[in-house]
Amino acid sequence: MFALLYNWGSLAGGAADLYCRTRQEEGLTSMRERFSLDRGWRFALGHAADESLDFQFRHMRDLVKAGEGRGAADPKFDDANWQTVHVPHDWAIELPFFKSDDREIAEHGFRSIGPDFPQNSVGWYRRTFEIPESDLGRRISIEFDGVYRDSVVWINGHRVGRHESGYTSFQFDLTNFINYGGKNVITVRVDAGLYEGWWYEGAGIYRHVWLTKTAPLHVAHWGTQIISKVNGEDATAIVHTTVVNDSDEEITFDIDLAITDATGEAAADETLGEMTLLPWSTDTFELHVQLPDARLWSCESPHLYKLETTLHVEGDEVDTTFTTFGVRTLRWDKDQGFFLNDKHVLIKGTCNHQQHAGVGTAVPDRLHEFRLEKLKALGSNAYRASHYATTPELLDACDRMGILVMAENRVPGGAKEHCDQFESMIRRDRNHASIIMWSMGNEEHTIQWSIVGERIGRSMVRLAHRLDPTRAVTTAMYDRGANEGFANVVDVHGWNYMNVGDMATWRERNPNQPIVGSEESSTVTTRGIYADDKARGYVSAYPLRSPKWGSLPEQWWPYFSERKWLAGGFVWIGFDHYGEPIPYKWPCTSSHFGLMDLCGFPKDIYYYYKSWWDTGTPTVHLFPHWNWEGREGQEIDVWCFSNCEEVELLHNGRSLGRRAMPAHSHVSWKVLYEAGSIEALGFNGGKQVETHRIETTGPATALKVIADRPTLKADGEDVAVFTIVAVDAAGRVVPTACDLVRFDVSGPATLIGVGNGDPSSHESDKAPFRRLFNGYAMAILEADTRAGTTYLTAAANGLQSGAATVSSTPAVPRVAL
């Protein structure tokens, strides 16, 4: 394929006098090129308090004289002794734990990072790449999807910018500082010494990094907005295209739009011709594209269209971008909740943080998808990105999978910095079909019920409506019954915790405002533990405990599901997360709130929601396990979650009775322990439709390893998640096993993280070993770029080793510099 490379510096007399030459680059169809900068960074810790260990940061000359970056910012700096890392990268997950009574250290999972740990809280990154001399005249920029936090960026000794937020994406123009035809050095200093939240936040360049080359005339960064209007069977895509002319001449150009459907078939096209931009100017152009027989995006059928936007100058292609979008309608009703495509949808959502066992906040793209698959299997249809702008790849996956998203801003402070963060999130993400509302923030205790907060909220709602008139604005707040604040200005009231305040009274006073449960429950449980154990930091898996503000599943979900004026809600939280060790502190390093543990292993509470959210699938889940040696003859509280009409319990083949299943609840029996088995039989219409049997196991004799899928793409990024379980001689999972497991990997993949879901584990997330927690452990392998078979072997003293394989198939890695 041929692409045009314009020598924009030679313009004389406008676009008609363009001098151009061609260069042949297979697969390149326009001037725009986007490269991954994820691989091959050099990394070293700096020091927030000791200048001698912080690579001359406080003696930089770049604020005195341009281009005089010193120390690690100097392109001649020798980083040969630094560690080689690939991003996404989270250095905090490798730091040791530190026992402390300090609240903020506890909230961040007792990792030794933050204001009390200057030796661990600054990281430096350097990367070298080459730009050919032929790129002179193009615009070159770098984009960071997320850096935690307070990052300063240099290129070739020139300080090009600072970005404080640890959650929003940002871009810097490098054009004027590039060494064309030679080596270029990017340096990034990251200072994670201050907190932005009250959870584990990680540290480093924990999302992707991109380098983009464009012609001077190009579509702006996040410069495409698509608003769909549905009219019967047809739809209109209203496309706003922001175009930049970064040249010294006035340019006349055409905007060509082509839309394809999910199969790649042409759906529509349109052209806006003879547009003109003055030198060094920007403008936005609107074009309406008709989509006959439009397919709508929904949770059940998440159909996506792709818009190709091409700029032409005198018939020559100078820029092309691609934007994925969906056609759908959103409506919030004060009496009936939420409607998607005029169909009522009860929101069955989970709140979630951006982290996982083994990798911290540096979550690979596939792992985001893995987590969403777990949530969707639960019957969940919605995801709250709490409490910050999430990674674009997670939103891409939600678009593909039909998962509704509540996209949330970090801090609604009202100052320019806060408004810029909110605007950045909306501009970047507003074409995602999955996003159904914008949230200004979460539980702003100081301002959410004040007149100052009302003023701030009004300005932020106004900003959101200007940037995106199609979505409602909410904020997640608890009720104080005040007459001032955010609640007076948002489109949808985000209610955090039904037990905080009086929701019914609020509705009586504010009958015209829709309400969604933005955060509910906060029930605490530990997988596989059936009695509270404060000394070890465990909470019983029976869902009977929540903090004073929370509620149990059988309290909040019936309340929300039975009231049509409530749009549904989001349970706190889908997965356990590092930090917020409630109800205990040390030795816990993570929360207990999850429906799943840190690794994604379901807790018993998971099946309560599966029973009542996935009502089309008969579910029977019986607990606890049946290994109670030493408790023979004692009562064991046996519970069953099910959506069947009736459930019968068998103990060693003897029926203990059939019971009707109350809606949104459970059934239980007191059973005198006797080794053998318990079995729950689920009946609908008198016919058995599902069963769950639990048996007393023998001691563990072997390890079993299971991969989440058989193949990987050999693209240097794809990951497989392996489950390791201890089994007895009959192949049954031993629910109390805690053996130390050692991992060995051979083949074209690397072990990047391990875990076991234990909220009190102080083991390394990166070591090639991990102790089982109640029978289970996890290992994550990342493919390299070689095809072939990878073997993961798990071994433990006294147990037969287990192994599993994944095959890496040839794949094209991202284009990188």
Side-chain angles (χ1 to χ4, degrees):
M1 302 292 291
F2 287 87
L4 294 170
L5 178 60
Y6 291 93
N7 184 346
W8 296 91
S10 67
L11 285 169
D17 297 322
L18 286 174
Y19 166 78
C20 68
R21 62 187 178 86
T22 61
R23 60 191 177 108
Q24 187 168 5
E25 290 191 6
E26 185 172 333
L28 182 64
T29 60
S30 77
M31 286 288 294
R32 181 178 294 262
E33 296 176 279
R34 195 181 195 214
F35 301 91
S36 170
L37 292 183
D38 283 356
R39 304 188 70 80
W41 290 83
R42 293 286 193 169
F43 171 77
L45 286 176
H47 202 294
D50 187 340
E51 161 59 20
S52 67
L53 300 176
D54 202 29
F55 305 106
Q56 301 189 48
F57 176 64
R58 285 166 182 77
H59 290 278
M60 287 287 175
R61 291 279 297 174
D62 52 24
L63 296 178
V64 180
K65 294 291 184 180
E68 294 192 9
R70 288 182 173 177
D74 185 337
K76 297 186 295 294
F77 178 84
D78 184 3
D79 59 19
N81 292 327
W82 287 20
Q83 179 185 0
T84 298
V85 300
H86 307 309
V87 303
H89 176 245
D90 173 11
W91 85 73
I93 199 66
E94 302 181 48
L95 295 176
F97 296 102
F98 182 82
K99 183 179 179 180
S100 172
D101 294 328
D102 181 272
R103 175 181 173 179
E104 289 187 315
I105 293 175
E107 287 177 338
H108 287 77
F110 295 101
R111 294 283 179 176
S112 51
I113 193 167
D116 295 309
F117 305 95
Q119 74 279 16
N120 295 332
S121 298
V122 171
W124 288 82
Y125 295 83
R126 301 181 87 246
R127 192 184 189 284
T128 300
F129 58 92
E130 293 191 358
I131 297 292
E133 188 175 357
S134 58
D135 279 342
L136 184 62
R138 304 174 83 182
R139 306 304 298 183
I140 299 176
S141 62
I142 191 168
E143 181 176 2
F144 295 86
D145 283 349
V147 180
Y148 192 85
R149 65 172 304 277
D150 195 4
S151 54
V152 181
V153 180
W154 295 263
I155 175 76
N156 298 332
H158 293 268
R159 181 180 177 132
V160 294
R162 177 184 181 187
H163 189 79
E164 291 190 73
S165 168
Y167 297 104
T168 54
S169 302
F170 58 100
Q171 180 195 52
F172 294 127
D173 187 347
L174 306 181
T175 305
N176 291 338
F177 314 111
I178 291 292
N179 177 23
Y180 295 92
K183 183 177 74 171
N184 296 270
V185 181
I186 283 280
T187 304
V188 184
R189 182 184 187 268
V190 182
D191 188 344
L194 295 180
Y195 302 131
E196 292 189 48
W198 52 94
W199 54 86
Y200 173 82
E201 299 185 271
I205 305 177
Y206 69 97
R207 294 179 184 165
H208 296 301
V209 184
W210 310 93
L211 185 133
T212 302
K213 303 177 183 180
T214 70
L217 183 77
H218 58 273
V219 177
H221 186 230
W222 303 333
T224 300
Q225 181 181 17
I226 305 164
I227 298 174
S228 60
K229 300 287 186 181
V230 178
N231 182 18
E233 299 296 318
D234 303 328
T236 301
I238 304 171
V239 181
H240 297 96
T241 307
T242 301
V243 182
V244 179
N245 178 12
D246 281 342
S247 77
D248 293 328
E249 301 295 332
E250 180 179 292
I251 300 178
T252 299
F253 58 94
D254 299 335
I255 303 175
D256 293 303
L257 305 179
I259 297 176
T260 54
D261 64 18
T263 68
E265 293 294 319
D269 59 75
E270 196 62 72
T271 296
L272 188 63
E274 299 296 307
M275 297 294 102
T276 300
L277 271 181
L278 296 174
W280 301 102
S281 67
T282 301
D283 203 353
T284 300
F285 304 90
E286 181 177 306
L287 195 56
H288 292 218
V289 184
Q290 303 306 314
L291 285 169
D293 299 319
R295 292 188 59 184
L296 303 186
W297 184 94
S298 67
C299 297
E300 299 77 18
S301 180
H303 186 88
L304 294 171
Y305 289 93
K306 181 177 287 186
L307 170 69
E308 180 179 355
T309 302
T310 305
L311 305 183
H312 284 99
V313 175
E314 294 188 345
D316 294 327
E317 181 181 328
V318 298
D319 193 24
T320 298
T321 64
F322 296 91
T323 309
T324 300
F325 71 100
V327 175
R328 80 283 187 272
T329 64
L330 310 174
R331 178 164 62 88
W332 295 87
D333 187 276
K334 62 184 177 63
D335 297 316
Q336 299 182 64
F338 173 67
F339 289 78
L340 178 66
N341 303 325
D342 283 328
K343 176 184 176 182
H344 180 260
V345 176
L346 182 63
I347 292 174
K348 297 176 284 190
T350 61
C351 307
N352 292 279
H353 278 303
Q354 58 173 22
Q355 52 170 273
H356 196 83
V359 295
T361 59
V363 182
D365 296 351
R366 165 57 196 162
L367 193 53
H368 283 299
E369 194 172 63
F370 170 87
R371 289 163 61 88
L372 290 172
E373 289 169 354
K374 293 279 190 178
L375 294 172
K376 188 143 183 158
L378 165 72
S380 177
N381 62 9
Y383 184 103
R384 178 185 173 207
S386 47
H387 305 289
Y388 37 76
T390 191
T391 185
E393 287 73 23
L394 182 139
L395 296 174
D396 290 340
C398 289
D399 290 345
R400 295 190 302 269
M401 298 170 70
I403 298 173
L404 309 173
V405 174
M406 175 177 170
E408 191 154 278
N409 178 53
R410 179 67 290 275
V411 177
K416 184 178 185 302
E417 169 71 17
H418 302 119
C419 291
D420 286 350
Q421 290 182 28
F422 195 34
E423 178 170 352
S424 168
M425 178 182 72
I426 294 174
R427 284 190 181 277
R428 189 195 70 177
D429 297 337
R430 59 190 173 182
N431 292 315
H432 285 284
S434 55
I435 294 177
I436 61 171
M437 57 182 160
W438 305 111
S439 171
M440 294 190 299
N442 176 74
E443 294 180 359
E444 288 292 332
H445 310 300
T446 303
I447 66 170
Q448 66 184 4
W449 296 107
S450 71
I451 189 61
V452 171
E454 185 167 325
R455 295 186 198 122
I456 290 171
R458 196 176 301 279
S459 66
M460 297 192 77
V461 169
R462 184 169 58 248
L463 171 64
H465 286 167
R466 175 174 62 82
L467 295 169
D468 177 16
T470 71
R471 292 180 178 90
V473 180
T474 186
T475 193
M477 50 194 156
Y478 56 82
D479 179 40
R480 277 187 177 168
N483 295 319
E484 300 171 332
F486 289 162
N488 289 343
V489 300
V490 294
D491 305 309
V492 176
H493 188 117
W495 196 286
N496 278 18
Y497 300 104
M498 57 179 284
N499 287 342
V500 182
D502 188 334
M503 199 177 301
T505 300
W506 172 267
R507 173 168 164 77
E508 290 175 5
R509 297 202 325 255
N510 302 271
N512 295 319
Q513 189 176 59
I515 301 176
V516 65
S518 44
E519 186 172 317
E520 278 297 340
S521 189
S522 282
T523 301
V524 288
T525 63
T526 305
R527 176 180 58 78
I529 298 291
Y530 295 98
D532 289 352
D533 188 339
K534 184 176 181 180
R536 295 198 299 163
Y538 300 147
V539 189
S540 171
Y542 295 107
L544 294 171
R545 186 173 179 181
S546 66
K548 60 183 179 180
W549 63 82
S551 58
L552 303 179
E554 296 181 33
Q555 295 170 333
W556 87 271
W557 182 245
Y559 185 92
F560 274 77
S561 63
E562 293 165 4
R563 287 162 175 77
K564 291 184 177 180
W565 49 271
L566 288 171
F570 296 84
V571 63
W572 186 266
I573 188 168
F575 296 79
D576 280 346
H577 59 92
Y578 289 117
E580 278 194 293
I582 293 172
Y584 313 125
K585 302 302 181 186
W586 188 269
C588 296
T589 61
S590 75
S591 78
H592 294 77
F593 295 122
L595 309 184
M596 291 170 275
D597 66 19
L598 289 159
C599 300
F601 297 132
K603 304 179 185 180
D604 295 306
I605 192 175
Y606 175 99
Y607 295 95
Y608 170 83
Y609 290 97
K610 182 168 178 58
S611 295
W612 302 112
W613 285 3
D614 185 15
T615 54
T617 304
T619 297
V620 174
H621 177 73
L622 191 63
F623 63 100
H625 61 72
W626 210 238
N627 280 27
W628 298 106
E629 184 178 359
R631 294 189 59 182
E632 288 77 8
Q634 298 180 27
E635 279 190 346
I636 304 293
D637 200 6
V638 176
W639 283 37
C640 182
F641 291 137
S642 178
N643 51 22
C644 294
E645 296 168 1
E646 297 177 302
V647 176
E648 181 178 4
L649 181 67
L650 306 180
H651 179 210
N652 290 337
R654 303 185 301 271
S655 176
L656 300 186
R658 185 185 299 191
R659 298 186 179 176
M661 177 62 67
H664 308 299
S665 187
H666 74 282
V667 290
S668 64
W669 295 260
K670 299 290 187 182
V671 181
L672 298 178
Y673 178 65
E674 177 186 357
S677 68
I678 53 175
E679 184 175 11
L681 310 178
F683 295 85
N684 285 336
K687 180 181 179 181
Q688 182 181 325
V689 295
E690 189 59 85
T691 183
H692 184 202
R693 179 183 175 90
I694 300 175
E695 298 179 353
T696 306
T697 74
T701 61
L703 295 174
K704 185 177 180 181
V705 183
I706 308 126
D708 72 307
R709 55 204 181 115
T711 60
L712 294 175
K713 294 177 291 185
D715 60 2
E717 298 182 37
D718 202 5
V719 299
V721 181
F722 290 79
T723 297
I724 298 90
V725 295
V727 296
D728 68 3
R732 299 169 297 196
V733 176
V734 180
T736 56
C738 58
D739 302 82
L740 180 65
V741 178
R742 302 178 301 279
F743 300 109
D744 180 72
V745 179
S746 62
T750 303
L751 180 69
I752 63 168
V754 297
N756 61 11
D758 182 350
S760 299
S761 174
H762 300 162
E763 298 169 278
S764 168
D765 283 69
K766 298 297 182 180
F769 51 83
R770 189 69 167 207
R771 193 170 294 279
L772 296 171
F773 179 60
N774 293 330
Y776 288 81
M778 175 213 71
I780 305 173
L781 267 61
E782 183 178 70
D784 59 29
T785 56
R786 299 171 295 162
T789 300
T790 296
Y791 298 82
L792 174 66
T793 302
N797 291 342
L799 303 183
Q800 180 181 337
S801 297
T805 64
V806 288
S807 297
S808 294
T809 59
V812 178
R814 298 187 203 263
V815 179
L817 283 181

